[in-house]
Amino acid sequence: MTSDFDFMTALELRRLIAARAISPVELTERALARAEASQASLNAFCHLVPEEARSAARRAEEAVMRGAPLGLLHGLPVSVKDLIAVGGQPYASGSRAMASNIAAADAPAVERLRAAGAIIIGKTTTSEFGAKPVGDSPLTGITRHPWDLAKTPGGSSAGAAASVAAGITPCALGTDGGGSLRIPAALTGLVGFKAQFGRVPVWPTSATPTLAHVGALARNVADAALLTTAVAGHDPRDPFAVAGPVPDLLVAVKASIAGLRVAWSATLGYARPNPEVAAIAHAAAMALADQGAIVEEVETVLESDPAALWTAEFYAGIGTRLRGVLESRRDLLDPAVADLLDAALAQEMRAYYETVFARYALRDRMVNFFTGYDVLVSPTLPISSLEAGRNIPEGLEDRSLVSWAFYTYPFNLTGQPAVSVCAGIASDGMPVGLQIVGRTLGEYDVMRAAAAIERTKPPGYNLRPLTEP
């Protein structure tokens, strides 16, 4: 196989596999080789499973040759973030405190990957317990950006984004508790999609069970729809799992947006975006009107920044899981994360429940807001790039480890579906993300709007070859 295949879409590759034009075995071998060759520079993987992948690829090829029915992801190499359980494989959640942990069973999304014919080639890196929106942890070190090795691909789904952006796998499974799919998608020019909370079941129980989503990273909207379709649907092991039918996202990406009611907000009411980032995102949003959408500018979406509500919930959950480590083996943890866990665990019960009720009020506000709109569009991040190894961008030092991201965490508090797509390229040569948020259970509108943005761009505008080390 040649490099011509590295940036093909998942749908293109699947068609070629079904037509017997390419071999799942050859495709898997190339993915493994590229993963291994780039590991020293990118550090996208914390664990590769070459023998298991080769065995699955051989079975996939045999099914093609005998004319068996093929799954949605048949023969496609994929990766799985280390916050998701793959049975019999390391399950460290990016933490030295969990370095010897082995998953007892597959997560539901992993079961469905296998049932859809996907070939899992390995586990990808994450910041410790997904607690930072950048790509490093004490366990695995720094994961780097394929376009510029001096930059971070973002996090916490750092390795997942790096593997897809580098052309190693066409898509990847990640998680999003405060933006961990959308943030790296924005920084690497990808599509990062979290469906409605509970649409893709989460099990074993997350350390942040009321915030965590499992979702897709891909190089285009249709591939994100394909992967989500393969893994979505109710599972009784997740008490929050959505029981209703899964929207037809593959139809959504081809649907017209004529009449779609779009709210554009540069700040949501409190964010401080880089002016160039805001301008690129604004231009992308306004281009929706050319396809028949009704676009309205809304400066204030939220009355105040909900960062404190998110922090109280997210870090209290992780802190509770890691209390023993904090008390007896603190040196194992990322110091920046440990300090936030201390603060979260110091909350009084009354103060914590005040934030819980404020979160319910935030949900009510967003329900009311979406009576007038189908989607809300904003920048995904206030920046286009961030140096590897740095936690907070220059000029935003007054913000916390996560609150500098501004735009993503509110919609984990509300559970609404949201996606990041590439709006364009900034003057530093790095991509700018555009976030599209839908009403509750509104994935169909989110994905048709995302696909409409993609249609305004030239092919391959968001793709770059891997930078040489």
Side-chain angles (χ1 to χ4, degrees), residues 117-404:
I119 313 300
I120 298 170
I121 69 164
K123 302 289 294 291
T124 52
T125 59
T126 175
S127 59
E128 190 163 33
F129 276 88
K132 296 199 303 187
V134 292
D136 63 84
S137 81
L139 178 67
T140 57
I142 293 176
T143 296
R144 298 184 181 274
H145 197 302
W147 293 21
D148 182 345
L149 296 174
K151 306 288 188 180
T152 180
S156 63
S157 301
S163 74
V164 176
I168 296 169
T169 59
C171 52
L173 203 63
T175 67
D176 191 315
S180 290
L181 288 164
R182 290 160 288 156
I183 291 167
L187 291 174
T188 58
L190 299 178
V191 177
F193 177 52
K194 77 171 189 73
Q196 174 69 32
F197 178 68
R199 182 72 76 187
V200 179
V202 177
W203 181 87
T205 303
S206 167
T208 57
T210 69
L211 298 170
H213 300 61
V214 169
L217 278 157
R219 290 191 289 271
N220 69 5
V221 177
D223 284 358
L226 179 74
L227 179 55
T228 304
T229 299
V231 300
H234 182 263
D235 187 290
R237 290 170 288 185
D238 180 354
F240 298 112
V242 176
V246 178
D248 194 332
L249 301 179
L250 290 167
V251 169
V253 301
K254 300 177 182 179
S256 168
I257 61 163
L260 187 75
R261 299 171 301 167
V262 178
W264 154 258
S265 182
T267 69
L268 302 183
Y270 58 87
R272 306 198 313 263
N274 172 287
E276 183 186 27
V277 166
I280 291 171
H282 177 263
M286 292 301 115
L288 292 172
D290 296 335
Q291 298 181 57
I294 303 163
V295 184
E296 179 181 334
E297 296 200 36
V298 180
E299 178 56 34
T300 302
V301 176
L302 300 174
E303 292 175 341
S304 60
D305 180 359
L309 308 185
W310 182 88
T311 298
E313 185 74 8
F314 187 89
Y315 289 109
I318 294 174
T320 299
R321 280 280 178 92
L322 293 178
R323 182 185 290 275
V325 178
L326 275 168
E327 292 174 348
S328 63
R329 295 180 292 160
R330 188 186 184 90
D331 60 305
L332 293 179
L333 301 176
D334 184 323
V337 173
D339 290 345
L340 283 172
L341 300 183
D342 287 336
L345 289 175
Q347 297 175 95
E348 295 181 352
M349 183 65 72
R350 185 174 69 179
Y352 170 74
Y353 264 93
E354 285 173 351
T355 66
V356 170
F357 289 121
R359 179 179 178 183
Y360 295 152
L362 171 66
R363 290 177 178 175
D364 288 344
R365 179 177 176 87
M366 293 314 300
V367 168
N368 291 333
F369 179 86
F370 275 90
T371 60
Y373 303 101
D374 300 308
V375 294
L376 166 66
V377 179
S378 73
T380 306
L381 290 175
I383 58 169
S384 58
S385 66
L386 178 63
E387 293 78 13
R390 182 168 185 150
N391 287 328
I392 299 174
E394 184 178 357
L396 296 174
E397 289 87 355
D398 60 316
R399 305 294 292 181
S400 75
L401 202 58
V402 171
S403 70
W404 68 262

